[in-house]
Amino acid sequence: LLKPLKDYIIARNIWTIGGDGWAYDIGFSGIDHVMSNNYNSKILVLDTQMYSNTGGQASKSTQLGSIALFASSGKDTSKKDLAKMMMSYENAYVAQVSLSNPMHLIKTLKEANEYNGPAIVIAYAPCISHGIAGGMVNSLDINKEAVECGYFPIFRNNPKTGFSLDSKAN
């Protein structure tokens, strides 16, 4: 019934959005499956680098040595490198972004959305559990500092155009 009208149906991309607890842990096998295939799937991961909804527990996205609610002496294992793992799939668009660089964020999301294949964008997203001095009103400043010092590099890896390190060198 719809087959004769298929040329008139507008294709739309659907984005899956989730936190790092889901992406790095419980939902990782699903993400891995989607990214390893040629599905035109789009994923946005908000990386707080801890289990924020449980009060700031250390997680697989927590950096080595970071102090969290249940890692008061510092996390003793390295952070899982989700971006590096996803870049092992030659068909996948992979990027890291920061809210402190809105033009890069828009460019990256547009590029990922237009990419014909699987795409994952990981956004650094400090949360209230980080104990940011002055509160969350300063989270963009924290984002900017994390990028500038190399703690959270921003980049785009498009299989069609190559790798682009978009962090400014200091």
Side-chain angles (χ1 to χ4, degrees), residues 28 50 90 120 129 159 162 167:
F28 176 75
M50 64 176 64
E90 295 176 3
I120 187 167
S129 296
S167 301

Side-chain angles (χ1 to χ4, degrees), residues 39-62:
Y39 304 139
N40 196 20
S41 298
K42 313 301 174 192
I43 300 170
L44 175 62
V45 177
L46 303 174
D47 189 358
T48 65
Q49 305 196 348
M50 64 176 64
Y51 291 129
S52 303
N53 64 343
T54 59
Q57 292 174 286
S59 73
K60 292 177 184 167
S61 71
T62 304

Side-chain angles (χ1 to χ4, degrees), residues 71-148:
S72 59
S73 60
K75 186 173 176 239
D76 60 2
T77 57
S78 297
K79 174 181 175 148
K80 181 188 249 182
D81 194 336
L82 183 61
K84 184 189 253 183
M85 294 170 83
M86 295 303 106
M87 282 193 285
S88 71
Y89 299 118
E90 295 176 3
N91 63 317
Y93 180 97
V94 180
Q96 285 191 169
V97 297
S98 167
L99 298 177
S100 67
N101 190 330
M103 293 312 295
H104 177 263
L105 173 65
I106 292 166
K107 179 180 183 173
T108 302
L109 291 175
K110 183 177 185 300
E111 195 174 89
N113 196 57
E114 292 171 352
Y115 180 73
N116 187 23
I120 187 167
V121 177
I122 303 164
Y124 182 57
C127 73
I128 194 88
S129 296
H130 285 179
I132 298 170
M136 287 301 292
V137 70
N138 296 318
S139 66
L140 285 181
D141 294 333
I142 298 301
N143 253 284
K144 184 178 180 189
E145 290 173 9
V147 171
E148 287 177 350

